[in-house]
Amino acid sequence: MNYVLLGLSWAVFYSLHSFLAATKLKRILQGKLENAYKWYRLVYTLISIFLILGITIQALVIPKTILLSKSVFTDYLGYMLAGFGTIIVTKSSKNYSLKRFLGLAPLEVHEEALITTSLYSKIRHPLYAGLILIFLGYFLFAGTLSSAIHLGCLLLYLPVGIYFEEKNLVAQFGETYHKYKSATPPIIPRFR
């Protein structure tokens, strides 16, 4: 039952993540909140942090069920993948203002630009690629059922999350994003 609740917690998190990031909801709230809308991103971030902390606490109190026996190889591979994932997440975040991303500085409407350089020239969603590597590395290192649920829920959500995120990006950047999308793969780079 604990693991079902953990999976449901991730479902709530990912559903809220997509719902709160929807362009339509943002337009409605922008009309209703007017000047206060500039702090919407901060509220969004605080909700996300609260939910992630709840999921983390939930995962920590669940009795450990081992799925993958630990070895030097799984430990090394887990650390390596999580390390690469962390590097990718960090490098992909360098193009953004951390204050604006977290909502600590108000984001003015239409202030963002489409980033297509650095890691974004190889894949459209390096942040997601990094998260996959981090969660996979954690699973290989921990080998627990809860770490497998974390990874499984992320992998189930990503196609949905990418669909909605790209819908928002097309609405925001139009033909520019369509061209970028046709030239750049979503998560796995082309090696040629």
mmCIF file of all heavy atoms in Angstrom, residues 59-87:
data_model
loop_
_atom_site.group_PDB
_atom_site.id
_atom_site.type_symbol
_atom_site.label_atom_id
_atom_site.label_comp_id
_atom_site.label_asym_id
_atom_site.label_seq_id
_atom_site.Cartn_x
_atom_site.Cartn_y
_atom_site.Cartn_z
ATOM 1 N N ALA A 59 9.054 8.613 0.922
ATOM 2 C CA ALA A 59 9.982 7.570 0.460
ATOM 3 C C ALA A 59 10.949 7.147 1.559
ATOM 4 O O ALA A 59 11.346 5.980 1.629
ATOM 5 C CB ALA A 59 10.749 8.071 -0.755
ATOM 6 N N LEU A 60 11.316 8.086 2.428
ATOM 7 C CA LEU A 60 12.253 7.760 3.505
ATOM 8 C C LEU A 60 11.634 6.879 4.589
ATOM 9 O O LEU A 60 12.336 6.089 5.220
ATOM 10 C CB LEU A 60 12.800 9.045 4.137
ATOM 11 C CG LEU A 60 13.776 9.844 3.275
ATOM 12 C CD1 LEU A 60 14.091 11.182 3.936
ATOM 13 C CD2 LEU A 60 15.048 9.050 3.013
ATOM 14 N N VAL A 61 10.331 7.016 4.833
ATOM 15 C CA VAL A 61 9.705 6.239 5.906
ATOM 16 C C VAL A 61 9.184 4.879 5.441
ATOM 17 O O VAL A 61 8.848 4.037 6.273
ATOM 18 C CB VAL A 61 8.569 7.031 6.601
ATOM 19 C CG1 VAL A 61 9.113 8.293 7.227
ATOM 20 C CG2 VAL A 61 7.432 7.341 5.665
ATOM 21 N N ILE A 62 9.138 4.664 4.135
ATOM 22 C CA ILE A 62 8.686 3.356 3.627
ATOM 23 C C ILE A 62 9.773 2.318 3.921
ATOM 24 O O ILE A 62 10.950 2.562 3.653
ATOM 25 C CB ILE A 62 8.433 3.405 2.103
ATOM 26 C CG1 ILE A 62 7.246 4.300 1.796
ATOM 27 C CG2 ILE A 62 8.211 2.009 1.530
ATOM 28 C CD1 ILE A 62 7.005 4.496 0.296
ATOM 29 N N PRO A 63 9.391 1.157 4.469
ATOM 30 C CA PRO A 63 10.388 0.102 4.669
ATOM 31 C C PRO A 63 11.015 -0.287 3.323
ATOM 32 O O PRO A 63 10.335 -0.362 2.307
ATOM 33 C CB PRO A 63 9.574 -1.068 5.237
ATOM 34 C CG PRO A 63 8.311 -0.455 5.751
ATOM 35 C CD PRO A 63 8.062 0.764 4.929
ATOM 36 N N LYS A 64 12.327 -0.480 3.344
ATOM 37 C CA LYS A 64 13.055 -0.752 2.097
ATOM 38 C C LYS A 64 12.788 -2.160 1.590
ATOM 39 O O LYS A 64 12.939 -3.131 2.321
ATOM 40 C CB LYS A 64 14.544 -0.541 2.292
ATOM 41 C CG LYS A 64 14.897 0.898 2.460
ATOM 42 C CD LYS A 64 16.386 1.105 2.517
ATOM 43 C CE LYS A 64 16.604 2.582 2.522
ATOM 44 N NZ LYS A 64 17.623 3.114 3.209
ATOM 45 N N THR A 65 12.402 -2.223 0.325
ATOM 46 C CA THR A 65 12.275 -3.499 -0.365
ATOM 47 C C THR A 65 13.316 -3.490 -1.473
ATOM 48 O O THR A 65 13.258 -2.669 -2.389
ATOM 49 C CB THR A 65 10.866 -3.657 -0.984
ATOM 50 O OG1 THR A 65 9.892 -3.550 0.056
ATOM 51 C CG2 THR A 65 10.725 -4.980 -1.699
ATOM 52 N N ILE A 66 14.287 -4.385 -1.375
ATOM 53 C CA ILE A 66 15.400 -4.405 -2.318
ATOM 54 C C ILE A 66 14.990 -5.164 -3.587
ATOM 55 O O ILE A 66 14.507 -6.288 -3.529
ATOM 56 C CB ILE A 66 16.649 -5.062 -1.685
ATOM 57 C CG1 ILE A 66 17.052 -4.346 -0.403
ATOM 58 C CG2 ILE A 66 17.797 -5.124 -2.682
ATOM 59 C CD1 ILE A 66 17.480 -2.910 -0.568
ATOM 60 N N LEU A 67 15.186 -4.518 -4.741
ATOM 61 C CA LEU A 67 14.924 -5.148 -6.040
ATOM 62 C C LEU A 67 16.211 -5.547 -6.734
ATOM 63 O O LEU A 67 16.242 -6.509 -7.493
ATOM 64 C CB LEU A 67 14.175 -4.177 -6.971
ATOM 65 C CG LEU A 67 12.755 -3.813 -6.641
ATOM 66 C CD1 LEU A 67 12.212 -2.855 -7.698
ATOM 67 C CD2 LEU A 67 11.881 -5.053 -6.573
ATOM 68 N N LEU A 68 17.245 -4.770 -6.508
ATOM 69 C CA LEU A 68 18.515 -4.950 -7.208
ATOM 70 C C LEU A 68 19.610 -5.077 -6.169
ATOM 71 O O LEU A 68 19.818 -4.157 -5.374
ATOM 72 C CB LEU A 68 18.758 -3.722 -8.101
ATOM 73 C CG LEU A 68 19.956 -3.716 -9.016
ATOM 74 C CD1 LEU A 68 19.780 -4.780 -10.116
ATOM 75 C CD2 LEU A 68 20.098 -2.342 -9.654
ATOM 76 N N SER A 69 20.282 -6.235 -6.169
ATOM 77 C CA SER A 69 21.332 -6.410 -5.159
ATOM 78 C C SER A 69 22.509 -5.490 -5.461
ATOM 79 O O SER A 69 22.882 -5.289 -6.608
ATOM 80 C CB SER A 69 21.784 -7.874 -5.105
ATOM 81 O OG SER A 69 22.213 -8.294 -6.374
ATOM 82 N N LYS A 70 23.043 -4.919 -4.399
ATOM 83 C CA LYS A 70 24.127 -3.954 -4.543
ATOM 84 C C LYS A 70 25.437 -4.659 -4.870
ATOM 85 O O LYS A 70 25.706 -5.752 -4.404
ATOM 86 C CB LYS A 70 24.290 -3.146 -3.255
ATOM 87 C CG LYS A 70 23.134 -2.195 -2.996
ATOM 88 C CD LYS A 70 23.279 -1.429 -1.705
ATOM 89 C CE LYS A 70 24.404 -0.454 -1.680
ATOM 90 N NZ LYS A 70 24.324 0.688 -2.564
ATOM 91 N N SER A 71 26.217 -3.982 -5.708
ATOM 92 C CA SER A 71 27.558 -4.441 -6.020
ATOM 93 C C SER A 71 28.413 -3.218 -6.295
ATOM 94 O O SER A 71 27.898 -2.107 -6.428
ATOM 95 C CB SER A 71 27.547 -5.367 -7.249
ATOM 96 O OG SER A 71 27.248 -4.620 -8.424
ATOM 97 N N VAL A 72 29.700 -3.416 -6.409
ATOM 98 C CA VAL A 72 30.593 -2.309 -6.738
ATOM 99 C C VAL A 72 30.200 -1.735 -8.099
ATOM 100 O O VAL A 72 30.195 -0.520 -8.298
ATOM 101 C CB VAL A 72 32.062 -2.784 -6.730
ATOM 102 C CG1 VAL A 72 32.993 -1.704 -7.232
ATOM 103 C CG2 VAL A 72 32.462 -3.234 -5.338
ATOM 104 N N PHE A 73 29.850 -2.605 -9.032
ATOM 105 C CA PHE A 73 29.474 -2.156 -10.378
ATOM 106 C C PHE A 73 28.214 -1.288 -10.360
ATOM 107 O O PHE A 73 28.206 -0.215 -10.966
ATOM 108 C CB PHE A 73 29.263 -3.372 -11.298
ATOM 109 C CG PHE A 73 28.809 -2.987 -12.671
ATOM 110 C CD1 PHE A 73 29.686 -2.400 -13.570
ATOM 111 C CD2 PHE A 73 27.491 -3.197 -13.056
ATOM 112 C CE1 PHE A 73 29.265 -2.026 -14.838
ATOM 113 C CE2 PHE A 73 27.056 -2.826 -14.324
ATOM 114 C CZ PHE A 73 27.945 -2.235 -15.218
ATOM 115 N N THR A 74 27.155 -1.736 -9.668
ATOM 116 C CA THR A 74 25.918 -0.936 -9.643
ATOM 117 C C THR A 74 26.132 0.381 -8.895
ATOM 118 O O THR A 74 25.579 1.405 -9.287
ATOM 119 C CB THR A 74 24.732 -1.705 -9.026
ATOM 120 O OG1 THR A 74 25.066 -2.103 -7.695
ATOM 121 C CG2 THR A 74 24.352 -2.911 -9.871
ATOM 122 N N ASP A 75 26.949 0.331 -7.833
ATOM 123 C CA ASP A 75 27.263 1.574 -7.114
ATOM 124 C C ASP A 75 27.997 2.550 -8.037
ATOM 125 O O ASP A 75 27.630 3.722 -8.145
ATOM 126 C CB ASP A 75 28.123 1.300 -5.882
ATOM 127 C CG ASP A 75 27.344 0.728 -4.721
ATOM 128 O OD1 ASP A 75 26.103 0.626 -4.830
ATOM 129 O OD2 ASP A 75 27.976 0.383 -3.701
ATOM 130 N N TYR A 76 29.036 2.068 -8.701
ATOM 131 C CA TYR A 76 29.833 2.917 -9.585
ATOM 132 C C TYR A 76 28.978 3.462 -10.728
ATOM 133 O O TYR A 76 29.002 4.660 -11.011
ATOM 134 C CB TYR A 76 31.022 2.125 -10.136
ATOM 135 C CG TYR A 76 31.845 2.907 -11.114
ATOM 136 C CD1 TYR A 76 32.731 3.898 -10.674
ATOM 137 C CD2 TYR A 76 31.721 2.690 -12.482
ATOM 138 C CE1 TYR A 76 33.471 4.636 -11.561
ATOM 139 C CE2 TYR A 76 32.461 3.430 -13.382
ATOM 140 C CZ TYR A 76 33.338 4.397 -12.926
ATOM 141 O OH TYR A 76 34.071 5.134 -13.813
ATOM 142 N N LEU A 77 28.225 2.585 -11.377
ATOM 143 C CA LEU A 77 27.386 3.003 -12.500
ATOM 144 C C LEU A 77 26.311 3.987 -12.037
ATOM 145 O O LEU A 77 26.027 4.981 -12.705
ATOM 146 C CB LEU A 77 26.743 1.784 -13.171
ATOM 147 C CG LEU A 77 25.976 2.034 -14.460
ATOM 148 C CD1 LEU A 77 26.874 2.657 -15.525
ATOM 149 C CD2 LEU A 77 25.382 0.726 -14.976
ATOM 150 N N GLY A 78 25.733 3.730 -10.870
ATOM 151 C CA GLY A 78 24.728 4.631 -10.317
ATOM 152 C C GLY A 78 25.288 6.015 -10.052
ATOM 153 O O GLY A 78 24.703 7.029 -10.435
ATOM 154 N N TYR A 79 26.463 6.059 -9.405
ATOM 155 C CA TYR A 79 27.105 7.351 -9.141
ATOM 156 C C TYR A 79 27.463 8.060 -10.445
ATOM 157 O O TYR A 79 27.294 9.271 -10.574
ATOM 158 C CB TYR A 79 28.379 7.182 -8.305
ATOM 159 C CG TYR A 79 28.137 7.036 -6.831
ATOM 160 C CD1 TYR A 79 28.716 5.994 -6.113
ATOM 161 C CD2 TYR A 79 27.355 7.958 -6.134
ATOM 162 C CE1 TYR A 79 28.509 5.871 -4.750
ATOM 163 C CE2 TYR A 79 27.146 7.839 -4.776
ATOM 164 C CZ TYR A 79 27.724 6.791 -4.086
ATOM 165 O OH TYR A 79 27.527 6.672 -2.736
ATOM 166 N N MET A 80 27.971 7.298 -11.403
ATOM 167 C CA MET A 80 28.382 7.882 -12.677
ATOM 168 C C MET A 80 27.188 8.486 -13.420
ATOM 169 O O MET A 80 27.242 9.631 -13.881
ATOM 170 C CB MET A 80 29.066 6.825 -13.551
ATOM 171 C CG MET A 80 29.692 7.407 -14.802
ATOM 172 S SD MET A 80 30.534 6.160 -15.784
ATOM 173 C CE MET A 80 29.152 5.255 -16.430
ATOM 174 N N LEU A 81 26.097 7.738 -13.521
ATOM 175 C CA LEU A 81 24.913 8.240 -14.216
ATOM 176 C C LEU A 81 24.303 9.441 -13.496
ATOM 177 O O LEU A 81 23.942 10.438 -14.130
ATOM 178 C CB LEU A 81 23.873 7.135 -14.376
ATOM 179 C CG LEU A 81 24.236 6.012 -15.357
ATOM 180 C CD1 LEU A 81 23.191 4.910 -15.317
ATOM 181 C CD2 LEU A 81 24.403 6.546 -16.758
ATOM 182 N N ALA A 82 24.197 9.352 -12.172
ATOM 183 C CA ALA A 82 23.658 10.482 -11.409
ATOM 184 C C ALA A 82 24.570 11.698 -11.534
ATOM 185 O O ALA A 82 24.095 12.835 -11.639
ATOM 186 C CB ALA A 82 23.474 10.095 -9.943
ATOM 187 N N GLY A 83 25.887 11.470 -11.562
ATOM 188 C CA GLY A 83 26.833 12.573 -11.739
ATOM 189 C C GLY A 83 26.684 13.230 -13.107
ATOM 190 O O GLY A 83 26.631 14.466 -13.213
ATOM 191 N N PHE A 84 26.596 12.414 -14.161
ATOM 192 C CA PHE A 84 26.376 12.966 -15.510
ATOM 193 C C PHE A 84 25.046 13.710 -15.574
ATOM 194 O O PHE A 84 24.947 14.765 -16.184
ATOM 195 C CB PHE A 84 26.412 11.871 -16.572
ATOM 196 C CG PHE A 84 27.787 11.382 -16.915
ATOM 197 C CD1 PHE A 84 28.008 10.043 -17.186
ATOM 198 C CD2 PHE A 84 28.870 12.252 -16.981
ATOM 199 C CE1 PHE A 84 29.274 9.575 -17.510
ATOM 200 C CE2 PHE A 84 30.141 11.801 -17.296
ATOM 201 C CZ PHE A 84 30.345 10.446 -17.561
ATOM 202 N N GLY A 85 24.032 13.141 -14.955
ATOM 203 C CA GLY A 85 22.723 13.794 -14.940
ATOM 204 C C GLY A 85 22.776 15.142 -14.243
ATOM 205 O O GLY A 85 22.198 16.127 -14.721
ATOM 206 N N THR A 86 23.505 15.203 -13.135
ATOM 207 C CA THR A 86 23.647 16.462 -12.404
ATOM 208 C C THR A 86 24.390 17.496 -13.247
ATOM 209 O O THR A 86 24.018 18.675 -13.275
ATOM 210 C CB THR A 86 24.385 16.226 -11.065
ATOM 211 O OG1 THR A 86 23.653 15.242 -10.321
ATOM 212 C CG2 THR A 86 24.507 17.499 -10.259
ATOM 213 N N ILE A 87 25.425 17.067 -13.959
ATOM 214 C CA ILE A 87 26.162 17.978 -14.847
ATOM 215 C C ILE A 87 25.246 18.501 -15.945
ATOM 216 O O ILE A 87 25.229 19.703 -16.237
ATOM 217 C CB ILE A 87 27.402 17.266 -15.446
ATOM 218 C CG1 ILE A 87 28.439 17.026 -14.350
ATOM 219 C CG2 ILE A 87 27.999 18.076 -16.597
ATOM 220 C CD1 ILE A 87 29.565 16.074 -14.741
#
